[in-house]
């Protein structure tokens, strides 16, 4: 009963409605596929499967978003920890993002570490370095990023500066050599004039430490060699002697003169075999 012009308008509206419905249906299917892929990757333990996409979320792109603050908040929300999730994974991720100065990715790694093991000493050294990154670069960030970082780090920093946080950490963890190692490294990191005090903390194995063992002493030795405490050849040599006295059968703590080369070892073995055969 419609006039030809009205019928034409109606059919055009119907075609547009069908096209819109088809587009929405296609978008819904695509979104479901992405969700399924993400869910599958997380079931397989790939907690960093979305890292490449997240790596694109940088301040200048956030500034172009219609809701930059909301996007930044979503970005740093930690994933639920899986059974296979280990703090070492997030430690390695943090180190990568720290070198690249990816602030939101660093914050994401910190939140995941805190969820897995909030008392881990290595988390402390990451927090101190992140605190310094904030002080150094916060004026260069988009305001939305700065607001998110400030809000999400209140739990970690409580309005204190890095030196105060490190001082309190060393005081509360004074009976753990593993924890003191991280605190001492950060002491030197924050002020290289404190080298002597920092070295004294990690190389003096008195009775106040409850966890002195080969593993942690080897870690301290490697830290000294890497330069975490600056140049300290004399202290390094003295530390090797001290550890060698405490753990005389550990090769890592033997002076070079006491280490037997493979050729010498074979020669001794052959001489011993000849002697036994005679």
């Amino acid at each position: 009963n419609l006039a030809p012009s009205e019928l034409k308008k109606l059919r055009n509206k119907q075609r547009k409605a069908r096209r819109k419905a088809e587009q929405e249906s296609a978008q819904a299917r695509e979104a479901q596929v992405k969700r399924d892929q993400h869910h599958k990757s997380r079931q397989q333990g790939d907690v960093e499967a979305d890292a490449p996409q997240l790596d694109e979320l940088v301040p200048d792109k956030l500034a172009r978003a219609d809701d930059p603050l909301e996007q930044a908040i979503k970005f740093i929300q930690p994933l639920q920890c899986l059974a296979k999730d280990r703090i070492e994974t997030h430690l390695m991720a943090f180190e990568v993002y720290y070198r690249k100065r990816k602030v939101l990715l660093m914050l994401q790694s910190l939140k995941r570490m805190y969820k897995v093991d909030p008392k881990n000493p290595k988390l402390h050294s990451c927090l101190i370095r992140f605190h310094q990154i904030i002080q150094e670069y916060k004026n260069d960030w988009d305001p939305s990023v700065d607001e998110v970082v400030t809000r999400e780090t209140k739990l970690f920093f409580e309005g204190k500066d890095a030196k105060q946080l490190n001082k309190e950490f060393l005081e509360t963890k004074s009976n753990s050599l593993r924890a003191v190692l991280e605190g001492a490294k950060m002491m030197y990191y924050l002020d290289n004039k404190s080298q002597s005090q920092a070295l004294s903390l990690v190389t003096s194995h008195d009775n106040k430490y409850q966890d002195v063992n080969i593993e942690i002493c080897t870690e301290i030795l490697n830290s000294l060699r890497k330069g975490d405490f600056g140049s300290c050849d004399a202290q390094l040599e003295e530390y090797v002697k001290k550890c060698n006295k405490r753990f005389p059968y550990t090769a890592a703590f033997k002076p070079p003169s006491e280490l037997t080369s493979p050729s010498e070892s074979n020669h001794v073995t052959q001489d011993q075999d000849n002697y036994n055969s005679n």
Side-chain angles (χ1 to χ4, degrees), residues 235-259:
Q235 293 90 336
L236 174 59
E237 184 179 351
E238 185 63 29
Y239 185 71
V240 171
K241 292 179 181 178
K242 184 181 296 185
C243 290
N244 178 241
K245 185 177 180 180
R246 186 168 191 142
F247 306 107
Y249 302 109
T250 304
F253 305 131
K254 288 187 177 297
S257 59
E258 295 184 19
L259 294 176

Side-chain angles (χ1 to χ4, degrees), residues 20 31 62 100 107 132 173 178 185 195 227-230 236 243 247 259 278:
K20 184 178 181 181
L62 278 175
K100 295 182 178 181
L107 179 55
Q132 293 302 96
K173 304 292 184 180
R178 186 174 297 280
K185 285 196 293 187
Q195 183 192 45
D228 290 339
F229 296 89
L236 174 59
C243 290
F247 306 107
L259 294 176
N278 292 334

Side-chain angles (χ1 to χ4, degrees), residues 202-216:
V202 297
T203 58
S204 300
H205 297 169
D206 51 33
N207 294 329
K208 69 178 180 180
Y209 297 132
Q210 301 174 354
D211 55 352
V212 180
N213 53 48
I214 293 175
E215 180 184 1
I216 184 59

Side-chain angles (χ1 to χ4, degrees), residues 23-169:
Q23 290 175 352
E24 291 176 349
S25 178
Q27 291 173 353
R29 287 195 299 271
E30 184 179 353
Q32 184 62 43
V33 169
K34 290 182 178 180
R35 284 194 295 270
D36 292 342
Q37 291 175 344
H38 179 68
H39 181 67
K40 182 179 179 181
S41 65
R42 288 189 58 190
Q43 284 183 327
Q44 295 172 346
D46 186 10
V47 297
E48 299 294 339
D50 55 346
Q53 281 186 316
L54 297 178
D55 195 59
E56 293 299 317
L57 197 60
V58 291
D60 60 332
K61 293 188 178 182
L62 278 175
R64 295 198 297 268
D66 294 332
D67 54 347
L69 182 57
E70 288 75 9
Q71 292 299 321
I73 292 174
K74 290 179 183 179
F75 176 73
I76 50 82
Q77 287 176 346
L79 297 176
Q80 295 295 324
C81 294
L82 305 175
K84 295 181 181 179
D85 204 7
R86 294 168 57 91
I87 194 168
E88 288 80 3
T89 303
H90 305 312
L91 281 168
M92 289 188 290
F94 176 86
E95 294 300 335
V96 172
Y97 302 143
Y98 177 78
R99 290 194 295 270
K100 295 182 178 181
R101 297 300 191 261
K102 300 289 187 179
V103 62
L104 291 179
L105 287 165
M106 280 189 278
L107 179 55
Q108 182 189 69
S109 297
L110 289 172
K111 288 170 68 69
R112 291 178 177 178
M113 278 189 274
Y114 185 83
K115 191 173 183 64
V116 175
D117 186 1
K119 296 183 180 180
N120 192 295
K122 291 187 180 296
L123 171 60
H124 170 73
S125 57
C126 292
L127 286 170
I128 295 299
R129 287 183 289 156
F130 186 67
H131 194 293
Q132 293 302 96
I133 290 290
I134 293 175
Q135 300 305 312
E136 184 177 355
Y137 290 97
K138 66 179 181 179
N139 293 330
D140 300 330
W141 296 337
D142 182 88
S144 299
V145 174
D146 185 51
E147 183 175 347
V148 171
V149 171
T150 301
R151 178 192 305 174
E152 296 295 328
T153 54
K154 285 181 180 178
L155 171 66
F156 300 137
F157 302 144
E158 300 177 346
K160 302 172 184 176
D161 63 33
K163 286 189 176 182
Q164 185 179 359
L165 287 167
N166 197 57
K167 181 176 180 292
E168 292 178 358
F169 178 81

